[in-house]
Amino acid sequence: MGEYEKQHIVPQAYLNRFGTKGRKKYRIGVFQKDAGQGTVKEFCNSVDNVGYIRNYYDVSCRDDVKHWEHYYANNLEPLYGDRLGSIISSITLANRENYYLSREDQFNLATMMSAQILRFPPLIDRWSHEAKKMFPGIKNNLLRSHESSITKKDKQRLHSFQFPSDFYKDLVLGVATNQKRLEYYSEVLLSRIWCVFYNSTDIPFMTSDNPVVLCELGKGKPIYENYGIANVDTTIYYPLSPKIMLQLFSDKLILGDKESFKPKIRVLGERERDFILQCNKRQFEHCYRETFVPLPLMRQILADRDGL
């Protein structure tokens, strides 16, 4: 493939946290859904070869066709490097009885989650489709409001005018990456109660190509169509590594003094194995196409499957 054709829908630097560094590249275990066959493939691959859609963010209506791919690479990918690494290290090494995420760490994590939610392809595709459906109505309103001043020839031109096919995607990506929108999403996330889980078992947290999982309280199943992050009933799960996961929920679920409620790191042990497995199941259900596990686990799964 040519340069920037593999356009990742989840940052490679994030997936590296779940992979194993080889001589040149990080490698990771993959569960890949085949929507047409209803089957799941299990294999190992390098991080740069998974979690992408070829040329998905390309827009021919711009001089730089790769404009949005460059935007994500230059503005968002760096967040998942040293900043995320520092947060993971501080949680791993912390005195878990007295550790709380700093406001700066929460802000950086909220930005990562917001950007991830807003770059999800089905969401971008749905918003693009809705924007395209609105255009004929906009044209008709324009014609009616300027009926007396538009010539017959101009009316015909306007009736027949169509934007390039990827114009609406470009429009939606502009909205999705708008700084004010990202800040709004981040502020909503910052207003929630943040819990940090540290996994001390031999079952790692899994992640996926759509890792910010939103679930409706009491139902447990991921929310697909409506990303209601401000909804009181929405609980959010986001794994940072095989050992660390965030849970965010509304402060309206807290009884008593909400201002003083600061959840400490909760260590998950053998009694919480079912909870870990349930979180992993949500990742699989919520993914676009691929779910990821650490390389050693996938190698063991493949060995068990093949009877080795």
Side-chain angles (χ1 to χ4, degrees):
M1 290 189 185
E3 188 178 17
Y4 295 113
E5 287 191 25
K6 292 180 180 179
Q7 297 181 0
H8 285 76
I9 62 175
V10 59
Q12 293 182 68
Y14 169 75
L15 292 183
N16 287 345
R17 304 292 172 186
F18 295 81
T20 299
K21 191 172 183 178
R23 292 181 179 178
K24 294 183 178 180
K25 299 179 179 180
Y26 281 87
R27 292 183 61 79
I28 200 167
V30 186
F31 292 101
Q32 185 181 77
K33 293 179 182 179
D34 186 332
Q37 300 295 325
T39 58
V40 178
K41 297 178 182 178
E42 304 161 344
F43 56 92
C44 302
N45 208 331
S46 59
V47 166
D48 65 331
N49 278 328
V50 298
Y52 73 88
I53 302 176
R54 190 173 182 227
N55 295 324
Y56 177 75
Y57 296 111
D58 282 11
V59 284
S60 61
C61 57
R62 285 184 178 264
D63 292 337
D64 179 8
V65 175
K66 306 290 183 182
H67 171 83
W68 293 114
E69 176 63 11
H70 294 152
Y71 169 84
Y72 286 117
N74 295 330
N75 294 278
L76 296 178
E77 188 85 15
L79 287 174
Y80 299 85
D82 291 342
R83 291 187 189 179
L84 181 56
S86 176
I87 293 170
I88 291 173
S89 295
S90 66
I91 294 172
T92 303
L93 301 174
N95 177 341
R96 291 171 191 138
E97 289 298 315
N98 300 305
Y99 178 83
Y100 307 105
L101 282 172
S102 70
R103 192 66 174 176
E104 181 182 0
D105 287 344
Q106 286 182 314
F107 177 80
N108 287 326
L109 289 166
T111 302
M112 295 178 208
M113 286 186 278
S114 300
Q116 184 62 57
I117 289 170
L118 291 169
R119 74 186 295 182
F120 185 47
L123 187 66
I124 297 296
D125 292 343
R126 189 173 83 243
W127 284 357
S128 300
H129 179 67
E130 291 172 356
K132 186 175 183 179
K133 286 197 303 182
M134 292 173 59
F135 184 60
I138 294 173
K139 285 200 297 184
N140 291 334
N141 289 336
L142 185 62
L143 286 168
R144 281 196 297 268
S145 61
H146 294 83
E147 187 172 4
S148 60
S149 59
I150 299 180
T151 65
K152 183 177 181 180
K153 190 173 183 179
D154 286 339
K155 288 180 181 178
Q156 291 174 341
R157 287 175 177 171
L158 187 56
H159 269 301
S160 61
F161 175 79
Q162 295 292 335
F163 284 113
S165 59
D166 55 13
F167 168 83
Y168 300 99
K169 178 185 283 188
D170 181 63
L171 182 69
V172 168
L173 286 169
V175 172
T177 57
N178 179 270
Q179 189 61 34
K180 289 186 177 180
R181 180 173 290 270
L182 283 173
E183 288 174 0
Y184 166 75
Y185 270 63
S186 296
E187 286 299 324
V188 171
L189 296 178
L190 287 169
S191 70
R192 293 185 158 248
I193 299 297
W194 289 53
C195 290
V196 181
F197 292 109
Y198 184 84
N199 181 357
S200 68
T201 75
D202 59 356
I203 303 174
F205 287 126
M206 295 166 55
T207 192
S208 74
D209 52 14
N210 183 33
V212 185
V213 175
L214 290 83
C215 292
E216 188 174 355
L217 183 68
K219 295 187 178 179
K221 291 188 176 181
I223 301 168
Y224 297 99
E225 295 300 322
N226 180 23
Y227 281 79
I229 64 168
N231 192 311
V232 174
D233 292 331
T234 299
T235 301
I236 301 166
Y237 300 89
Y238 183 47
L240 304 184
S241 76
K243 289 291 186 183
I244 300 169
M245 184 183 70
L246 303 179
Q247 180 191 47
L248 281 66
F249 55 90
S250 172
D251 63 359
K252 293 182 172 57
L253 301 178
I254 301 298
L255 300 177
D257 184 7
K258 298 176 184 178
E259 293 299 324
S260 64
F261 185 83
K262 290 184 177 181
K264 300 174 183 178
I265 297 174
R266 181 181 175 188
V267 178
L268 302 179
E270 294 303 311
R271 293 182 179 181
E272 290 78 31
R273 289 173 73 92
D274 287 346
F275 172 75
I276 296 168
L277 291 171
Q278 184 63 39
C279 290
N280 289 342
K281 179 182 177 184
R282 290 187 186 119
Q283 283 291 334
F284 183 78
E285 293 172 343
H286 196 249
C287 78
Y288 177 67
R289 192 182 178 202
E290 294 172 333
T291 308
F292 307 105
V293 298
L295 192 64
L297 176 58
M298 180 54 73
R299 284 176 173 165
Q300 184 60 52
I301 291 171
L302 295 177
D304 292 345
R305 184 194 66 185
D306 298 335
L308 300 178

